[in-house]
Amino acid sequence: MPLLKDRNFLLLFVGQGISRFGDGLYTAATAWLAWSLTKDPTAVAVVSVSAFAPAFVATFVVASYADRRDRRKLMIATDLARVAVVAAASLLLALDLLDLPLLVTTTALLALIGAPFAPARNAIVTQIVPDDRLQQANGLLQVAFRAAFFVGPLMLAPLLAFGSLQSVLVVNGVTFLGSAAAVAAIRVTRPAPTGAQAGLWCDLSAGLRAVLAAPDVLVVIVTFVLALALTNGFLTVGLVAVVGQGGQYGLLLGVAGVAEVVGALLLAGLRIRRLALAAVLAWALLGIFRAPLGTVTSPVVAAAFLTATGLASALTDIPLIALVQQRIPSHHLAKALGLWEAGVAGALAISPFVASTAITLAGVGSAFLLSGAAVVVLAVTAALTLACVGVGQAGQKPFASADGTACVAAAEETAVITATSE
């Protein structure tokens, strides 16, 4: 594809693929390490939550710095800081000092440090790619992200067989170095300042106003977060209950992962005119195919349903990111994407509990049906809401009120008065 011939985009594509490979490997390694330390599934759950909770709390706040600072330098600094944390964890493991509390602390710290990275990365795409190629760019990046994150856990077994958990952490640190090197080689021009520099809380308030001024963006983000909370846990907790066999479970998860990669690749070659509508209706498609999954008895049928939901999953976030990139002004873009990332982290943290509670109360088959039906209702409601606000068309310019803030305006006015008096 032509975008992959662009030096800057290719560096971002390769670098973030390497980084996501490390993320997938680290996620699997920490889960396994928590189990090997305690033999307690609760400990695994605690470590998993520690990877999401800091991002939920901090991502939107720290994304402000990605809008007010050089995004490229922020990404490099974040990667290097994460290298230091992984190196410390590796040293503790080598000294046999890494217990469960320290593992939870290290995982939470890594998530906290990495909080501004994803908003900055998604926002910097607009500095590299023309507006008419944003959807294609996001599709290609999602191919790299999903494929690499899927491959990461698969490498845990051979790395443990021929090395140790310490070598796994070393490989993870190397992936962060690779990401930092790729980002450092990117050549982008930082967007010109829009006026006087706003403070943190003023900037966050302005970012929220920018999102509220683009109701289609708000509807799509809220729909995504709620739908993810209703469905994601069923891909892990629920699928275990359906399959009941470890080998089939891993295979079906692999089918879903491959389908997401294929879906992202297909979307990279398509042009979607109504990004907001496509993003919310994709959840309805996912709900329709996910609903009967709890009643199937054949692995082949389950694989077919998971293939359909994997393809639909790619359609839920790629148009969303392109929509935000088109509709939100550049100086608020990372905050808008950070708000979405924070919501995703929160949804991922609670979704397993939603699934397990529903299965306990209603049974596996009924729980899947309820989850699918709820997502379909949510998606249809969102589509009707988009029709009411009348801003479903992609490419529409941002609302005028989203471009500035009262704080910045006041600062600019003060600057003008001062210059006049001089």
Side-chain angles (χ1 to χ4, degrees), residues 119-181:
R121 177 196 64 212
N122 289 329
I124 205 172
V125 173
T126 61
Q127 298 171 236
I128 297 173
V129 177
D131 285 350
D132 60 347
R133 291 192 175 181
L134 285 176
Q135 183 195 319
Q136 183 185 60
N138 291 318
L140 289 172
L141 288 174
Q142 288 299 319
V143 169
F145 298 164
R146 293 168 193 265
F149 193 80
F150 171 65
V151 171
L154 296 180
M155 293 302 298
L156 179 61
L159 284 172
L160 289 177
F162 296 100
S164 63
L165 273 171
Q166 187 179 357
S167 64
V168 172
L169 294 180
V170 170
V171 170
N172 183 234
V174 171
T175 63
F176 286 133
L177 285 175
S179 171

Side-chain angles (χ1 to χ4, degrees), residues 135 216-217 219-225 227 267 272-286 312-324 340 375 378-380 382-383 386 392 394:
Q135 183 195 319
D216 52 344
V217 171
V219 168
V220 173
I221 288 177
V222 170
T223 302
F224 188 101
V225 172
L267 282 178
I272 300 175
R273 292 177 59 94
R274 304 191 63 168
L275 295 173
L277 189 62
V280 298
L281 289 182
W283 283 110
L285 185 63
L286 188 147
S313 177
L315 190 57
T316 62
D317 55 358
I318 294 173
L320 182 152
I321 298 170
L323 176 73
V324 175
W340 172 59
V375 173
L378 176 65
V380 172
L386 287 173

Side-chain angles (χ1 to χ4, degrees), residues 3-14 125 128-129 136-138 140-141 186:
L3 272 178
L4 293 177
K5 297 179 181 179
D6 181 273
R7 176 182 177 276
N8 285 332
F9 182 79
L10 181 61
L11 285 168
L12 186 65
F13 178 85
V14 173
V125 173
I128 297 173
V129 177
Q136 183 185 60
N138 291 318
L140 289 172
L141 288 174
I186 293 174

Side-chain angles (χ1 to χ4, degrees), residues 319-347:
L320 182 152
I321 298 170
L323 176 73
V324 175
Q325 290 167 338
Q326 288 183 3
R327 299 278 288 116
I328 302 297
S330 177
H331 54 286
H332 293 315
L333 184 53
K335 291 186 289 295
L337 291 165
L339 185 65
W340 172 59
E341 294 279 357
V344 168

Side-chain angles (χ1 to χ4, degrees), residues 28-38 93 98 103 165 169:
T30 52
W32 177 253
L33 183 55
W35 174 257
S36 64
L37 288 171
T38 65
L93 183 61
L98 189 62
L103 178 61
L165 273 171
L169 294 180

